[in-house]
Amino acid sequence: MGDSRAIGVFDSGLGGLTVAKRIMELMPEERIVYFGDTGRVPYGTKGVSTIKKYAVEDERFLISQNVKMIVAACGTVSAVAADTGKELPVPFVEVISHSVKDAVSVTKNKKIGVLGTPATIKSHAHKKLIEKLLPDALVIETAAPLLVSLAEEGWYTPDNEVARLTAEKYLDEMKSAGVDTIILGCTHFPVFKELFSRLLPDVILIDMGASAAKYIKDTLEKSGAVNTGGAGEHKFFASDKPVTFEKVVKIFLRDNGGDIKIDLVDVEKNEKSND
Ligand code: DGL
């Protein structure tokens, strides 16, 4: 029994690898097929209809890879384009609702911050769900688009002056409001954890990938779809290969090991492409 097909994971770029990493840690028996739309990142500053079009194409590519589930490892897609997952022939997992449940269960003072892309913050997706579960919560939402570029550039460590100043600015309102919990509402942001914790030492940081991974494990177990056929190799695809690509992949995967092979895809045509 079980289902030996891979779990499909996609993001606008490489930030979704933070979610893939959480799945790999929690479910080492599962294989992942990852697609990063590096040719079209960022999504978070684009309009809803463009983000939906991109999400549909990303999902179509993963379906063509014969996956058993699709995970939108992108806060932006989860916030504004989760409806694109409804018609898929396999279960679709977004990353927002699980992180909200975790945030609501750990907050003590009911003051929660949400840090996301402009599209995610504009949708109020996290806020609406938080207020459903905790009607008297205070939710401070901040769009932090520059953090996406800083993360992709590898500028996220506490000793990076630009990252520190940028983070201080974005966290300022949450700090003044006294939030005790912050949802990292963009999958690029977990790399900033160490820096954020230095700036706000008592605040709990919720990683959407960690929350979603628990849900995915539970779902696969309940539906008898865990891979019992032995471990296989993960596969990585992207729509473009920027100069710093390999370095950035390793940042998000927290991997210092050997080469990671990445195939290029023309996602609009749904076919392989060349460098
Ligand atoms: N990883 C994407 C997210 O979680 C952010 C990057 C982007 O703007 O495309 O929203």
Side-chain angles (χ1 to χ4, degrees), residues 11-13 15-16 41-45 73-77 117 120 148 185-188 208:
D11 178 40
S12 56
V41 68
Y43 286 7
T45 49
C74 176
T76 307
V77 168
T117 64
T120 298
V148 175
C186 168
T187 53
H188 279 68
M208 295 196 296

Side-chain angles (χ1 to χ4, degrees), residues 78-98:
S78 300
V80 306
D83 55 337
T84 61
K86 281 195 189 132
E87 304 300 322
L88 295 173
V90 297
F92 174 83
V93 177
E94 47 73 37
V95 288
I96 291 182
S97 56
H98 320 292

Side-chain angles (χ1 to χ4, degrees), residues 30-208:
E30 297 297 335
R31 275 189 315 115
I32 288 177
V33 174
Y34 184 88
F35 173 69
D37 198 1
T38 44
R40 304 190 294 197
V41 68
Y43 286 7
T45 49
K46 299 200 166 69
V48 172
S49 57
T50 303
I51 298 166
K52 283 193 185 191
K53 174 183 173 292
Y54 289 174
V56 167
E57 289 170 357
D58 301 345
E59 289 155 11
R60 181 185 60 184
F61 169 69
L62 288 176
I63 290 292
S64 74
Q65 294 296 307
N66 189 31
V67 296
K68 62 181 166 188
M69 168 184 272
I70 289 187
V71 182
C74 176
T76 307
V77 168
S78 300
V80 306
D83 55 337
T84 61
K86 281 195 189 132
E87 304 300 322
L88 295 173
V90 297
F92 174 83
V93 177
E94 47 73 37
V95 288
I96 291 182
S97 56
H98 320 292
S99 68
V100 165
K101 280 183 202 144
D102 284 348
V104 163
S105 73
V106 298
T107 181
K108 293 209 162 57
N109 68 7
K110 301 184 183 176
K111 294 180 182 175
I112 300 174
V114 179
L115 206 58
T117 64
T120 298
I121 295 305
K122 193 173 166 212
S123 77
H124 304 297
H126 296 85
K127 183 174 165 43
K128 286 178 194 160
L129 284 175
I130 292 170
E131 287 172 349
K132 253 193 203 164
L133 299 174
L134 209 57
D136 55 343
L138 172 73
V139 183
I140 307 288
E141 300 169 287
T142 303
L146 292 181
L147 294 183
V148 175
S149 325
L150 289 178
E152 298 250 345
E153 189 60 35
W155 289 16
Y156 57 87
T157 50
D159 59 358
N160 186 294
E161 198 67 355
V162 179
R164 187 179 58 75
L165 288 171
T166 312
E168 266 174 4
K169 184 94 184 142
Y170 284 139
L171 294 176
D172 193 39
E173 193 188 347
M174 296 184 193
K175 190 176 180 179
S176 311
V179 302
D180 70 355
T181 306
I182 295 177
I183 300 177
L184 304 175
C186 168
T187 53
H188 279 68
F189 296 172
V191 294
F192 293 101
K193 268 187 187 166
E194 208 188 324
L195 170 59
F196 290 173
S197 292
R198 291 244 185 126
L199 298 174
L200 300 173
D202 299 323
V203 169
I204 297 173
L205 302 173
I206 304 287
D207 175 337
M208 295 196 296

